[in-house]
Amino acid sequence: MDEGGLPLLPDSLVYQIFLSLGPADVLAAGLVCRQWQAVSRDEFLWREQFYRYYQVARDVPRHPAATSWYEEFRRLYDMVPCVEVQTLKEHTDQVLHLSFSHSGYQFASCSKDCTVKIWNNDLTISLLHSADMRPYNWSYTQFSQFNQDDSLLLASGVFLGPHNSSSGEIAVISLDSFALLSRVRNKPYDVFGCWLTETSLISGNLHRIGDITSCSVLWLNNAFQDVESENVNVVKRLFKIQNLNASTIRTVMVADCSRFDSPDLLLDASDQAGLPCRVFDLGGDTEEEATDPGLHTSGSDHVKKGLRRVFDSVLDGHGQLSDCALETKVAELLAQGHTKPPECNDTDTRNKYLIFTTGCLTYSPHQIGIKQILPHQMTTAGPVLGEGRGSDAFFDALDHVIDVHGHIIGMGLSPDNRYLYVNSRAWPPGSVVADPMQPPPIAEEIDLLVFDLKTMREVKRALRAHRAYTPNDECFFIFLDVSRDFVASGAEDRHGYIWDRHYNICLAKLRHEDVVNSVAFSPQEQELLLTASDDATIKAWRSPRIVRVLQAPRPRPRPRPRPFFSWFASHRR
């Protein structure tokens, strides 16, 4: 300042100097005087700092809910759960999965030690209950999910049957008494299972038809299996779906379409120039059907003609088909006359989708199947136990299929159930599956893909940062989770990762001593994240902002939290 109290440097020159500083230095310089403080909060200055520090593409706009560039910078730096605050060591083996209750007051963990543990989520997390599943011939627990009102817990595990056969089982545990209410068989075990309503859950069963052909049946089960009334069914068949080339249905989950009410965080697919759409519908006529002269004949005649052409070609020596290829072709033709088209539901748009992994080329899950669940299918009431068990029972057609051209190792829904996030390890470009038992090699890089369930299109380009190393035949599920602003995932490189959903950037790496199998945001507080690892620990992570608040001295009235710029300067990433 000169003697008259006027600044020696004009604002424009101070602004140019501040442009050459880093964010922490700009915040510190803003404490020197009122002029510098005003310049240090300039919107254009923080816009430049934001794009430069986080390396966001310049054509990506600011988050629509952001009030300023400074506050947006602070959100990504100060409100990401990246500070380790607690390590839970009560499990004695690899921790495979984590799930929060909808209230956020409790969470559950599953482990290779064959226990399901239920925890109180407070400022200091404490163990509430541990259920040992070994007395029920379980090998380990692998998945859990709270029902909508947090009164019941679904726990899924691997069950050792007769002659050491490995299948799956789902247990329902009361959260009032911790009593085991029911047990449901689940095959294959990596169907996992999920809740459809507060008192009914979905399980799977697998029926072999040929060497590489099978049928997956999805069942709706009453959570209380001790129902004795003849008017109330314990189970009801939902869908029967044909599997080709050694594929099976796995990893079922339910998306509630009525929750498509949150502001869009993602850019529209139309804004992504050159982005291929990975979704195609199976509801209409296929190309083969559209050009086949036998289209106007009955379904049975069409199938007979198709089979006759296949066998004539093989007998004449024109078609060199392997046993597997011949079985697949015959199964496809037979299913054409025994597959129901998807049901329409024009009256009620508040339906639900059943989402699962599947495939058509090989046993490794490379497709996502989507099947609409209609209102009449959401109850076990009615005489349905013997329905559809005859030899003329029909398969159910899928409504949509997403082909990711790689091995799917994780799926998760956004809180509003609109966006599906998928962890996939890609096949090499142009790869062809010649043998269903020999899928293509998969990449070490994990692509995190995003699909809009409202438009059935892919949005956003793949998020990358995390890695996996196991080959196709040893590949395992890595559970991801999505909050309002962030998406997180584990990886085999001993880290958990957090990305921002809007800007598509990696914000934090969370270290463990072994593979990170599962992550979970608190549904009520996205600044709290849990990670589970093969190192037998669960770690709790909170944001720098919450850590400052928790560490602030409490006896004094109205304590002021440590300023953001001070934390920023001393904890540069």
Side-chain angles (χ1 to χ4, degrees):
M1 307 289 286
D2 61 15
E3 294 180 357
L6 298 175
L8 294 175
L9 296 176
D11 288 355
S12 59
L13 186 54
V14 176
Y15 175 83
Q16 290 299 323
I17 294 173
F18 281 10
L19 278 177
S20 64
L21 302 178
D25 294 329
V26 169
L27 289 169
L31 300 178
V32 171
C33 63
R34 291 180 180 178
Q35 180 203 15
W36 286 20
Q37 183 186 39
V39 176
S40 72
R41 295 301 177 90
D42 182 87
E43 271 292 276
F44 292 103
L45 173 65
W46 279 101
R47 180 182 183 277
E48 180 65 25
Q49 292 284 356
F50 184 93
Y51 282 117
R52 189 168 62 194
Y53 184 86
Y54 290 111
Q55 298 181 353
V56 177
R58 298 278 176 158
D59 59 345
V60 177
R62 194 177 72 191
H63 192 298
T67 57
S68 71
W69 283 106
Y70 169 76
E71 291 298 333
E72 190 67 348
F73 188 104
R74 178 174 179 173
R75 177 181 72 85
L76 294 190
Y77 196 92
D78 207 29
M79 301 181 187
V80 178
C82 58
V83 182
E84 182 182 341
V85 294
Q86 193 173 356
T87 301
L88 309 174
K89 301 180 179 180
E90 279 78 355
H91 280 292
T92 58
D93 207 335
Q94 302 170 3
V95 188
L96 303 180
H97 185 255
L98 298 165
S99 65
F100 266 101
S101 64
H102 295 83
S103 68
Y105 295 145
Q106 296 177 346
F107 68 90
S109 58
C110 297
S111 168
K112 282 286 185 74
D113 66 12
C114 207
T115 65
V116 181
K117 297 189 187 297
I118 302 170
W119 309 77
N120 267 330
N121 176 33
D122 208 336
L123 294 180
T124 299
I125 296 169
S126 59
L127 181 63
L128 180 62
H129 177 75
S130 180
D132 186 357
M133 302 304 292
R134 281 171 293 193
Y136 305 101
N137 288 335
W138 282 30
S139 177
Y140 57 88
T141 60
Q142 61 177 355
F143 176 83
S144 65
Q145 186 182 47
F146 290 78
N147 70 341
Q148 191 62 41
D149 65 2
D150 294 335
S151 62
L152 302 173
L153 179 70
L154 176 156
S156 174
V158 176
F159 174 83
L160 295 178
H163 311 293
N164 292 324
S165 62
S166 180
S167 185
E169 192 167 83
I170 297 171
V172 177
I173 300 172
S174 167
L175 293 173
D176 292 328
S177 62
F178 301 116
L180 185 62
L181 300 179
S182 62
R183 293 162 59 195
V184 176
R185 291 295 171 88
N186 186 44
K187 184 178 181 180
Y189 59 81
D190 47 6
V191 169
F192 294 122
C194 65
W195 291 105
L196 178 59
T197 68
E198 289 185 353
T199 58
S200 59
L201 58 107
I202 297 174
S203 66
N205 201 358
L206 184 67
H207 303 280
R208 295 291 178 187
I209 299 174
D211 289 339
I212 60 169
T213 308
S214 64
C215 168
S216 287
V217 179
L218 297 173
W219 293 91
L220 184 62
N221 305 266
N222 197 309
F224 307 98
Q225 294 286 341
D226 56 351
V227 177
E228 297 179 357
S229 170
E230 61 183 13
N231 297 319
V232 179
N233 290 308
V234 175
V235 295
K236 173 182 177 179
R237 199 189 78 185
L238 275 180
F239 303 115
K240 177 183 177 183
I241 299 170
Q242 185 192 47
N243 302 315
L244 301 174
N245 291 317
S247 65
T248 62
I249 284 178
R250 318 181 208 188
T251 321
V252 297
M253 61 176 60
V254 173
D256 187 349
C257 307
S258 65
R259 299 169 67 181
F260 291 172
D261 55 1
S262 295
D264 294 350
L265 286 172
L266 303 174
L267 302 177
D268 291 335
S270 58
D271 295 333
Q272 304 293 306
L275 184 67
C277 178
R278 298 173 186 256
V279 182
F280 58 93
D281 292 338
L282 295 185
D285 294 333
T286 63
E287 182 179 349
E288 181 181 352
E289 291 170 335
T291 58
D292 197 305
L295 182 63
H296 299 291
T297 64
S298 67
S300 177
D301 290 341
H302 179 58
V303 171
K304 289 177 181 178
K305 288 183 178 180
L307 287 171
R308 189 176 296 116
R309 284 198 300 268
V310 171
F311 290 130
D312 287 346
S313 178
V314 172
L315 292 174
D316 292 341
H318 299 304
Q320 299 297 322
L321 295 178
S322 66
D323 291 345
C324 289
L326 182 60
E327 179 183 323
T328 298
K329 187 63 177 177
V330 170
E332 287 178 323
L333 287 168
L334 289 174
Q336 284 183 13
H338 290 79
T339 299
K340 294 186 296 185
E343 296 183 57
C344 296
N345 182 40
D346 298 328
T347 58
D348 188 349
T349 59
R350 296 178 298 170
N351 46 54
K352 297 185 178 183
Y353 286 135
L354 182 66
I355 300 172
F356 47 83
T357 64
T358 181
C360 65
L361 302 175
T362 177
Y363 69 83
S364 68
H366 58 96
Q367 292 179 326
I368 298 166
I370 300 177
K371 184 68 181 169
Q372 193 175 37
I373 304 174
L374 301 179
H376 70 83
Q377 296 172 311
M378 296 178 60
T379 173
T380 57
V384 296
L385 280 178
E387 182 181 294
R389 291 190 174 185
S391 59
D392 61 342
F394 279 75
F395 294 114
D396 292 290
L398 303 185
D399 294 304
H400 303 280
V401 170
I402 302 170
D403 198 322
V404 303
H405 308 291
H407 193 129
I408 298 168
I409 61 168
M411 294 196 302
L413 289 164
S414 61
D416 65 348
N417 280 207
R418 175 168 175 176
Y419 297 101
L420 177 67
Y421 285 73
V422 179
N423 268 336
S424 171
R425 296 174 61 184
W427 292 338
S431 59
V432 176
V433 182
D435 182 351
M437 306 311 294
Q438 297 292 329
I442 50 179
E444 289 186 355
E445 295 81 10
I446 301 174
D447 293 333
L448 185 50
L449 312 172
V450 191
F451 298 92
D452 186 343
L453 297 179
K454 186 174 184 178
T455 63
M456 291 298 169
R457 294 183 62 88
E458 182 183 9
V459 292
K460 288 286 193 183
R461 289 184 171 83
L463 301 174
R464 286 185 175 176
H466 51 327
R467 303 174 72 87
Y469 307 108
T470 50
N472 243 322
D473 57 346
E474 299 176 10
C475 208
F476 56 89
F477 223 66
I478 294 178
F479 295 93
L480 57 93
D481 197 22
V482 190
S483 70
R484 184 187 69 247
D485 295 325
F486 308 125
V487 55
S489 174
E492 291 183 47
D493 59 12
R494 303 182 179 185
H495 287 88
Y497 290 82
I498 304 175
W499 294 265
D500 182 79
R501 291 178 60 193
H502 178 74
Y503 299 108
N504 266 30
I505 54 173
C506 185
L507 297 172
K509 292 177 63 175
L510 314 174
R511 181 167 180 77
H512 273 267
E513 298 303 315
D514 211 328
V515 173
V516 178
N517 296 305
S518 179
V519 298
F521 286 101
S522 167
Q524 303 299 327
E525 181 189 4
Q526 68 172 359
E527 294 179 56
L528 169 63
L529 176 72
L530 304 176
T531 56
S533 171
D534 278 358
D535 63 15
T537 69
I538 301 169
K539 290 188 177 183
W541 309 80
R542 293 190 182 272
S543 68
R545 183 185 73 88
I546 294 297
V547 170
R548 285 201 312 279
V549 171
L550 295 178
Q551 291 178 346
R554 296 188 179 278
R556 299 178 181 177
R558 300 181 63 83
R560 297 184 61 185
R562 191 179 179 190
F564 165 61
F565 83 86
S566 178
W567 175 275
F568 184 96
S570 59
H571 293 80
R572 298 187 186 186
R573 296 179 186 168

